Amino acid sequence: MTTRQFCTATWLVLASVFCQKAHSQSAPDSTRFTYSTLASGFDEPMQMAILPDQSILVAERKGALRLYDAKAKKLGTVAYLNVFSGIEDGLLGVAIDPGYEKNNWIYLYYGLGGERHISELARFEYKNGTLDMSSKKVLLEVPTQRTYCCHSAGYLTFDSKGLLYLSIGDNTNAEEIEGHNPTDERPGRQLSDGQGTSANTNDLRGKILRIKPEANGTYAIPDGNLFPKNGQEGRPEIYVMGCRNPFRMSVDAKNGFVYWGDVGPDTEVPAEEGRLSYDEINQARKPGFFGYPYFLGANEVFPKYDFETKKEGPGQDPAHPVNNSPNNTGIKNLPPAQPAWIWYGKGPSKRWPLVDKGGASAMAGPVYYSDLYQDAPYKLPEYYNGKLLIYDWIRKWMMAVTLDEQGNYVSMEPFLPQLKVVAPMDMQIAKDGAVYILAYGTNWFAKNTDSGIIRVEYSEGNRRPIAVAHVSETVGAVPMKITLSANGSKDFDQNDKLTYTWTIGKTKLKGKESAYTFTKPGTYDILLTVTDSQGAQGTTTSQVKVGNAPPKVGITTLSNQSFYWDDQEFDYKVSITDKEDKPIVKERVKVSFHYLPFGKDLASVLSAGDEDARFANTKKFYSTLDCKACHTMETRSIGPALNEIATRYAGQKDAKTKLAEKIITGGSGSWGSYPMPPHPDLSPEKAAEITDYILSLNQKHNSLPLQGKQLLSSHKGKGTEGAYVLQASYTDGGTKTAAPIRTSKHVVLRDPQIEMEDYSDGNVGVVIATLNTGYVSYISNIKNGKYVRYDHIDLNHIRSIKLRLQEHGAGGIIEVRTGGKDGPLIGSLNVAPGKLDDLKTGWKDVAISLKPTKGKHDLYFVFKNPASPYPLFHIDKMLFGK
């Protein structure tokens, strides 16, 4: 056994013992975590700073410093800084001084607006909601390039000794790397060479800095940084070097270990797990060089790539890395490269299967220690003592990492998976033990309605109630009357009695249900506060926009609105009214009618008002992928906007094939050279479906008239999965105080044959189609008193239902009722008893005549035979007949 094998075996034994000890405690009850969204609608929130009174400062990338006032429960704006917010720069970091309660100092890190290409670390006085701009003290200037994207990082945090840490990205051309690491040494290509930044000891980029702020607005170099204080070997501020984009970090409050997530590259270099494109969670127990751009993961080596000859050569030695780049202004012989602590690529990870797959942005949060929160009312349970919290911005997970007593990795597990945070951007623990999570929201470089500050509380004793508010209308004209309901609010402590308070401006309303009328246009926040009998409170905020009434769109027809039949005509009439638009503007009306081969499940998707029914399901599927993080609909993000792609490829014969292939394989070069990550698990059919959706964005379709008839013949020969969709929409012109509003309505017509196992609700069994059933699936275990329900069936013109059933069982009665198990009876059928030796056979079609009924109803099939406790019969499917 080698020394390395012996050490590995010893570590595994120790880790196993520690892991058993750590997991002897049971995981905490998830109902003891309560959470609330304190504020939402941020424009690219980057970092938060929790003030002593639990108010929160939030840095927005475009330059706004926002304040969530914990007492008033309102979000406001403290200041707008003049920042350069191109590429990934902007207002990136905010932190409060450890002595804030005495000195009112806060620290900001931002790209300075103007012609000087620098980023500043500056100190300001902040007090009572005001940022004193005249108090500005610039501690540090970082020269940057503003030609190429990306990697700015910019996170600020203090350790327990009052030392300030600042993470800075490599600020290197991330696009033109030709599938390799950025080490382009050709003349004029210095902006594409990470050896001039990350691996350069005289450059502050690609580093984590550690300094001691002084009272006069300067800083000192603490003992124990990577290089001597005299600067002979490198900048003395450097604690960690060899980073790509050390985006989020924390410092262990007890042992001083530094943790950070380093967002990895997209390369074509083969590696132990797929390609050498790992994201990393790193641990620095002491200062060091962490490898980039020469190494990644467990010191896997990038080959030396010659950008001139396009040939690969031997890579560096991790034990003795040497920076011979002409763009290096520091020492050549670098410290030994330190391997990553946790690392994972774009595909599934063998070491850490919980991290999932796809695009990634690894981030590190705090290490939790119970004894630091002894008297905190919301401290996490002992189960999390000593665990590191990590998270991923794109994959939207949060993990708790268990460490052994020396700080070695033992295991990881999901942390608060019930939260489903949209792009977690920052995570901190307040003095009261509550966990604060800053959610960035769905799209890059955009103001997102699903961004926000989330507060999570754990309680061993009395739990805060969870506030859920329902507002009857969120947009409307003046005067606008709304009803408010707190139904859905709950308290996991069963004996607690709840009271409800609604706050709208200076008005307070009491009661679980209430009403209010707005008499002036504007945007209003409605705060619901739910208080239990112990005085604990839960809150939630809703927003109402007053000043423009939504258009009203209606569709009427004499035809059935649930099903289609061969060669029948579907008549329709669309009506549109709008309180402000008189007359209706014809150009804003859209009426369309399509047959979609796989559209039977469209109704629930279209209820959200999808613009184009043909791609409603595709759009829903697309929203589950990581693509949306790089491609927004209208504006350029990391990648081009979808509308840009549709415009470029409009009319090209091979566009669909080319784009579908690129979605699967990835690549670069079409829009600059920023690499597009591959999606190898996506089928060619799904990739082609996404491509069709994107290309459709550039296509213009003529609107149908408001009244007409459509022949139902496109479905013939195409199976039973398709649907016809009539869709009508109108976008009004808005008002001086309110934006335009779009309203849509739709009718979905599906095949009149429905499989019985596709019920919405019921209490029967379902037999899955297999060889033993002749590949027929059906409902079974049908006993006296059981039922199945099918929702929103239009019974207009329906005269009968043909059932395909097996007389296998005690027999009985099938009742067809509307509205409930005991609702009006509109048809019934007696089924004879029987016994079949071969359940592949014996299926027969029988018809139930229905009493003429108009309108849409929930349809109940109720099964009865009070004389028998045994199953009655089997039913395969039903066919609605005119």
Side-chain angles (χ1 to χ4, degrees):
M1 178 181 288
T2 66
T3 301
R4 182 173 182 176
Q5 288 172 328
F6 175 80
C7 291
T8 300
T10 304
W11 180 86
L12 288 173
V13 170
L14 291 173
S16 176
V17 171
F18 183 82
C19 188
Q20 291 175 8
K21 179 181 178 182
H23 286 278
S24 61
Q25 307 172 46
S26 58
D29 179 2
S30 63
T31 67
R32 294 206 162 271
F33 291 96
T34 58
Y35 53 90
S36 57
T37 300
L38 303 181
S40 59
F42 288 96
D43 191 353
E44 296 191 74
M46 303 304 294
Q47 186 179 355
M48 59 185 169
I50 305 173
L51 297 166
D53 68 349
Q54 305 298 322
S55 294
I56 302 171
L57 290 170
V58 176
E60 290 185 339
R61 194 181 67 84
K62 295 183 180 70
L65 183 63
R66 309 295 301 278
L67 173 70
Y68 171 74
D69 187 318
K71 184 177 181 180
K73 295 182 172 58
K74 287 185 178 181
L75 181 66
T77 301
V78 171
Y80 288 97
L81 278 77
N82 177 24
V83 303
F84 167 73
S85 58
I87 51 177
E88 289 182 354
D89 269 333
L91 176 55
L92 303 177
V94 56
I96 65 171
D97 191 89
Y100 172 82
E101 290 183 272
K102 293 182 179 180
N103 58 35
N104 299 124
W105 292 340
I106 70 168
Y107 299 83
L108 301 175
Y109 181 72
Y110 51 89
L112 183 66
E115 298 301 318
R116 297 181 64 210
H117 291 192
I118 62 169
S119 291
E120 286 184 343
L121 171 62
R123 190 190 77 193
F124 296 84
E125 285 189 15
Y126 168 78
K127 189 176 182 181
N128 298 328
T130 300
L131 187 71
D132 182 358
M133 301 300 292
S134 67
S135 68
K136 175 180 173 181
K137 300 285 187 182
V138 177
L139 281 75
L140 183 69
E141 292 185 348
V142 181
T144 62
Q145 61 85 16
R146 295 179 176 178
T147 303
Y148 294 108
C149 188
C150 288
H151 312 149
S152 300
Y155 197 79
L156 293 170
T157 190
F158 280 88
D159 68 10
S160 58
K161 298 177 181 178
L163 301 182
L164 177 60
Y165 293 72
L166 166 62
S167 69
I168 305 176
D170 68 359
N171 189 221
T172 297
N173 183 354
E175 300 181 3
E176 299 165 349
I177 59 175
E178 301 180 12
H180 290 77
N181 52 331
T183 53
D184 194 341
E185 299 176 358
R186 292 175 294 176
R189 300 289 298 169
Q190 63 269 21
L191 300 186
S192 300
D193 186 6
Q195 298 172 108
T197 59
S198 295
N200 185 350
T201 64
N202 272 337
D203 195 289
L204 296 179
R205 293 170 292 179
K207 313 293 195 301
I208 295 176
L209 312 184
R210 186 177 73 153
I211 62 175
K212 184 180 188 326
E214 300 284 12
N216 62 0
T218 62
Y219 64 88
I221 303 298
D223 294 334
N225 277 3
L226 184 57
F227 300 116
K229 294 183 181 182
N230 61 17
Q232 289 182 351
E233 295 181 24
R235 290 291 297 264
E237 298 91 346
I238 297 172
Y239 188 78
V240 164
M241 65 178 293
C243 302
R244 182 176 184 266
N245 195 16
F247 201 63
R248 292 293 171 264
M249 60 175 293
S250 70
V251 183
D252 190 304
K254 291 199 171 183
N255 56 32
F257 292 178
V258 179
Y259 294 94
W260 71 97
D262 207 347
V263 183
D266 290 296
T267 77
E268 299 297 325
V269 178
E272 180 184 328
E273 290 194 355
R275 297 168 179 168
L276 203 50
S277 300
Y278 303 140
D279 274 41
E280 299 177 344
I281 300 291
N282 283 299
Q283 179 196 69
R285 303 187 184 191
K286 60 182 181 179
F289 171 56
F290 282 77
Y292 196 76
Y294 303 123
F295 319 103
L296 212 59
N299 275 343
E300 289 188 61
V301 182
F302 281 107
K304 173 66 176 177
Y305 180 69
D306 189 319
F307 283 80
E308 187 70 45
T309 65
K310 313 303 180 188
K311 293 182 179 180
E312 293 182 353
Q316 296 259 13
D317 177 3
H320 303 285
V322 180
N323 186 350
N324 284 318
S325 169
N327 301 306
N328 178 31
T329 60
I331 62 174
K332 292 185 177 182
N333 296 311
L334 302 177
Q338 305 302 307
W341 195 57
I342 298 171
W343 64 95
Y344 52 91
K346 302 300 185 284
S349 172
K350 296 176 183 178
R351 285 185 177 84
W352 298 282
L354 288 178
V355 300
D356 206 1
K357 59 187 177 182
S361 286
M363 304 187 187
V367 178
Y368 175 76
Y369 289 108
S370 297
D371 60 355
L372 299 181
Y373 300 91
Q374 286 187 358
D375 299 322
Y378 307 113
K379 65 180 182 180
L380 294 175
E382 187 66 26
Y383 178 83
Y384 290 107
N385 182 46
K387 295 186 180 183
L388 168 71
L389 303 178
I390 64 174
Y391 48 108
D392 191 292
W393 185 87
I394 287 182
R395 299 186 186 183
K396 303 178 180 64
W397 51 247
M398 298 183 290
M399 301 281 180
V401 179
T402 299
L403 315 174
D404 68 13
E405 293 175 350
Q406 285 73 46
N408 299 311
Y409 173 89
V410 174
S411 63
M412 72 169 65
E413 61 191 289
F415 179 67
L416 304 179
Q418 68 271 28
L419 267 183
K420 299 179 181 177
V421 178
V422 181
M425 176 59 78
D426 191 11
M427 179 189 293
Q428 298 180 29
I429 302 176
K431 291 181 179 180
D432 65 356
V435 179
Y436 283 83
I437 301 165
L438 186 63
Y440 181 90
T442 302
N443 296 311
W444 288 18
F445 302 144
K447 184 176 183 179
N448 291 301
T449 56
D450 53 3
S451 62
I453 303 169
I454 300 169
R455 176 180 163 95
V456 182
E457 298 175 358
Y458 178 83
S459 177
E460 291 285 1
N462 181 54
R463 287 166 281 193
R464 285 181 183 263
I466 296 175
V468 177
H470 298 282
V471 182
S472 61
E473 303 290 340
T474 57
V475 292
V478 175
M480 179 178 170
K481 184 177 181 179
I482 61 171
T483 57
L484 305 168
S485 172
N487 286 324
S489 299
K490 57 186 176 183
D491 193 314
F492 288 108
D493 301 313
Q494 296 182 0
N495 295 326
D496 277 352
K497 294 182 180 181
L498 303 180
T499 58
Y500 308 86
T501 303
W502 304 87
T503 304
I504 307 173
K506 296 181 179 180
T507 301
K508 291 186 180 297
L509 306 171
K510 299 290 185 179
K512 191 173 186 178
E513 297 182 349
S514 191
Y516 186 79
T517 300
F518 295 95
T519 58
K520 295 181 179 180
T523 300
Y524 297 87
D525 289 329
I526 300 177
L527 174 68
L528 168 63
T529 302
V530 182
T531 307
D532 68 14
S533 49
Q534 310 299 314
Q537 294 182 332
T539 63
T540 188
T541 302
S542 305
Q543 198 170 79
V544 172
K545 296 180 179 180
V546 182
N548 183 23
K552 294 182 178 180
V553 178
I555 299 175
T556 57
T557 177
L558 298 176
S559 302
N560 186 280
Q561 296 187 54
S562 290
F563 306 113
Y564 61 75
W565 289 272
D566 291 354
D567 299 319
Q568 298 290 304
E569 281 190 331
F570 177 77
D571 67 280
Y572 71 89
K573 184 178 181 180
V574 176
S575 61
I576 299 174
T577 58
D578 184 81
K579 187 172 182 178
E580 290 83 17
D581 287 8
K582 295 179 181 179
I584 295 299
V585 181
K586 183 179 179 181
E587 290 73 21
R588 297 181 188 148
V589 176
K590 291 184 180 179
V591 180
S592 63
F593 189 83
H594 300 287
Y595 175 73
L596 307 179
F598 302 99
K600 77 169 188 175
D601 296 323
L602 272 175
S604 61
V605 179
L606 290 173
S607 63
D610 199 276
E611 281 281 2
D612 192 336
R614 296 172 303 159
F615 299 102
N617 279 324
T618 308
K619 187 175 178 182
K620 184 178 181 182
F621 173 71
Y622 177 85
S623 70
T624 67
L625 304 175
D626 58 10
C627 308
K628 67 184 186 303
C630 296
H631 303 284
T632 65
M633 184 68 70
E634 301 287 349
T635 58
R636 178 179 285 265
S637 179
I638 288 296
L642 297 184
N643 282 331
E644 284 186 90
I645 299 172
T647 300
R648 172 179 285 192
Y649 289 95
Q652 295 187 24
K653 293 182 179 179
D654 61 344
K656 180 176 178 179
T657 303
K658 184 186 298 183
L659 290 176
E661 182 179 350
K662 193 166 185 178
I663 289 172
I664 294 173
T665 62
S668 62
S670 298
W671 304 85
S673 54
Y674 192 85
M676 172 181 174
H679 299 83
D681 296 332
L682 206 60
S683 69
E685 292 77 16
K686 277 294 183 184
E689 185 181 322
I690 292 171
T691 300
D692 279 338
Y693 159 59
I694 295 172
L695 294 176
S696 75
L697 299 174
N698 191 56
Q699 299 169 3
K700 294 184 178 180
H701 303 279
N702 294 326
S703 179
L704 294 175
L706 293 176
Q707 185 172 355
K709 294 181 179 180
Q710 295 290 327
L711 183 65
L712 306 177
S713 59
S714 299
H715 66 275
K716 296 170 71 173
K718 297 180 180 177
T720 63
E721 296 297 307
Y724 291 93
V725 181
L726 173 70
Q727 195 168 20
S729 69
Y730 181 73
T731 304
D732 69 18
T735 67
K736 292 181 180 180
T737 59
I741 300 173
R742 176 181 176 270
T743 301
S744 69
K745 293 289 184 182
H746 64 269
V747 174
V748 177
L749 306 177
R750 56 180 171 167
D751 190 277
Q753 178 176 292
I754 296 178
E755 299 295 327
M756 292 299 291
E757 63 268 24
D758 289 340
Y759 56 79
S760 302
D761 185 31
N763 53 6
V764 300
V766 176
V767 174
I768 305 299
T770 66
L771 176 64
N772 294 330
T773 68
Y775 298 105
V776 175
S777 58
Y778 54 87
I779 61 173
S780 65
N781 195 30
I782 300 171
K783 296 181 179 180
N784 179 56
K786 292 196 172 186
Y787 74 96
V788 287
R789 188 190 81 219
Y790 305 85
D791 292 343
H792 310 307
I793 302 295
D794 186 1
L795 295 175
N796 193 34
H797 304 306
I798 302 295
R799 296 293 178 264
S800 66
I801 300 176
K802 184 186 293 184
L803 296 177
R804 186 167 179 79
L805 56 79
Q806 277 183 339
E807 293 172 340
H808 180 72
I813 299 173
I814 301 174
E815 295 181 342
V816 184
R817 296 179 177 271
T818 59
K821 291 183 290 183
D822 300 317
L825 180 68
I826 61 172
S828 65
L829 175 72
N830 287 307
V831 180
K835 184 176 181 180
L836 297 172
D837 295 326
D838 184 0
L839 292 182
K840 297 179 185 178
T841 63
W843 291 102
K844 61 170 60 177
D845 294 329
V846 295
I848 303 178
S849 296
L850 300 183
K851 183 185 300 183
T853 307
K854 292 185 177 182
K856 289 188 175 183
H857 301 269
D858 291 344
L859 208 58
Y860 285 77
F861 289 77
V862 184
F863 311 109
K864 293 185 177 180
N865 185 344
S868 174
Y870 301 108
L872 308 181
F873 37 74
H874 299 151
I875 313 178
D876 173 21
K877 55 191 172 185
M878 59 179 163
L879 179 67
F880 289 84
K882 297 184 72 173

